[in-house]
Amino acid sequence: MPTKSANQKLTPLELLNSRRYDPQRKPQPDQFLFHAKGKKIGSLQNLVIVSGKQKNGKSRYISAIIAAALSGSALFSLSVQFPTNRNRLALFDTEQGDFDFYRQIETIKQFSGLSSLHNFDAYNLREDDPGESLKMIEAYLTANPECSILVIDGLLDLILDFNNVIDSKRLINFLKKITKQFNVLIIAVIHRGKGNDTNIGNLGAMADRLAQSVLKVEKDKERGVFNLSSEFMRSDEEFDPVSIWYNGTTWEEVPFLDTSSTPVKPISRKPDQYEYHEHTQ
């Protein structure tokens, strides 16, 4: 196939030939980076959705996933392993203000047991519009080929109208492109609707179809427990839900208890105790 300079476009036929099945090519086996209770959740070139209603503990589990990756140890039955020579993870937060953003970094440190976080980049894009945010994400991946896991919290802020079919499809196509082009696993947070309890808008429906796994976070208000369950698994069987609660000192994993039909005694729970520290970059 003829080569083209960077500013020359391929013809449709040349582009098609570049996509053609090559019997001599042996792609790398699917490499799973993210597991929950031993089940395969997310691999390179794929998307994992973490969904839940507002204030239902999504960021708590995102912090645990990041902490498990950076520490190299399982946390709350969640484990993350980096591929060889690509042990960098990036968090792009589109929602939180500065105080909550920095507080989440402290939570990641507490969960991981690390006083400082290496091979980790975190960015707060709350004031940036969707187009600029997408450009910055792509620029980051271009400049950091050692990054193998990209966490986006949350996905709805990367689009102007999550019910717009065309805009939603463009964002999904962007995610499809960068997961393959940069060979990364994307873990993205999306809100669920209050009425129908599904991932919100046309964007949510399209993200569900693209995702390798869709995980759901719910709060058991009676017990003060946050549950993480598998709503959809493309590459493995569903796992038993993960449950965590705050015991007044730290977060710990507790046995899952289905309270949908059986009344249970609430767990005595104290409010989270956070200590904010100034950060210097």
Side-chain angles (χ1 to χ4, degrees), residues 109-127:
K109 288 182 179 180
Q110 292 168 13
F111 281 172
S112 66
L114 301 172
S115 58
S116 59
L117 304 176
H118 302 286
N119 300 317
F120 172 64
D121 297 304
Y123 303 91
N124 190 326
L125 308 184
R126 186 181 186 185
E127 69 263 43

Side-chain angles (χ1 to χ4, degrees), residues 41-69:
I41 304 298
S43 62
L44 292 173
Q45 298 191 15
N46 276 295
L47 170 70
V48 170
I49 294 293
V50 178
S51 66
K53 295 181 180 179
Q54 191 173 9
K55 305 301 181 183
N56 265 21
K58 299 182 296 298
S59 292
R60 194 81 63 227
Y61 274 104
I62 287 295
S63 296
I65 292 167
I66 294 173

Side-chain angles (χ1 to χ4, degrees), residues 76-274:
F76 308 142
S77 297
L78 308 174
S79 61
V80 183
Q81 298 84 30
F82 289 110
T84 304
N85 298 324
R86 299 190 63 211
N87 60 340
R88 181 166 290 277
L89 183 151
L91 166 66
F92 287 84
D93 189 310
T94 66
E95 296 184 348
Q96 299 186 110
D98 280 345
F99 180 85
D100 288 331
F101 175 66
Y102 279 87
R103 185 174 68 169
Q104 183 173 11
I105 305 303
E106 289 300 314
T107 300
I108 294 170
K109 288 182 179 180
Q110 292 168 13
F111 281 172
S112 66
L114 301 172
S115 58
S116 59
L117 304 176
H118 302 286
N119 300 317
F120 172 64
D121 297 304
Y123 303 91
N124 190 326
L125 308 184
R126 186 181 186 185
E127 69 263 43
D128 301 296
D129 64 43
E132 286 300 318
S133 295
L134 295 179
K135 290 178 182 178
M136 286 188 282
I137 289 172
E138 190 165 10
Y140 173 85
L141 291 173
T142 301
N144 296 275
E146 70 276 18
C147 177
S148 59
I149 302 174
L150 183 70
V151 178
I152 302 174
D153 187 0
L155 202 59
L156 294 182
D157 291 307
L158 296 182
I159 190 171
L160 290 175
D161 182 0
F162 53 74
N163 275 319
N164 185 288
V165 174
I166 295 175
D167 287 348
S168 296
K169 185 59 178 175
R170 283 175 178 160
L171 178 53
I172 293 300
N173 285 344
F174 173 81
L175 298 176
K176 290 165 66 176
K177 182 188 79 169
I178 64 173
T179 50
K180 183 173 181 180
Q181 178 181 343
F182 298 103
N183 195 30
V184 295
L185 166 65
I186 294 181
I187 301 172
V189 175
I190 192 167
H191 291 286
R192 300 179 76 90
K194 293 181 179 180
N196 57 12
D197 194 32
T198 59
N199 288 343
I200 197 166
N202 282 308
L203 176 61
M206 292 181 188
D208 283 353
R209 287 196 291 273
L210 173 63
Q212 186 174 28
S213 302
V214 178
L215 308 183
K216 181 180 180 181
V217 182
E218 297 176 285
K219 183 178 181 180
D220 181 344
K221 295 182 180 179
E222 293 296 322
R223 306 177 69 221
V225 171
F226 294 94
N227 298 316
L228 175 72
S229 60
S230 48
E231 186 170 69
F232 170 76
M233 300 277 285
R234 191 184 301 277
S235 302
D236 209 337
E237 297 177 351
E238 294 186 352
F239 58 88
D240 293 332
V242 178
S243 299
I244 61 174
W245 79 295
Y246 188 73
N247 63 16
T249 304
T250 186
W251 286 87
E252 64 176 275
E253 185 173 0
V254 296
F256 170 73
L257 182 60
D258 186 355
T259 62
S260 58
S261 58
T262 305
V264 296
K265 182 180 179 180
I267 295 177
S268 177
R269 182 177 183 273
K270 299 179 182 179
D272 298 1
Q273 300 296 320
Y274 286 101

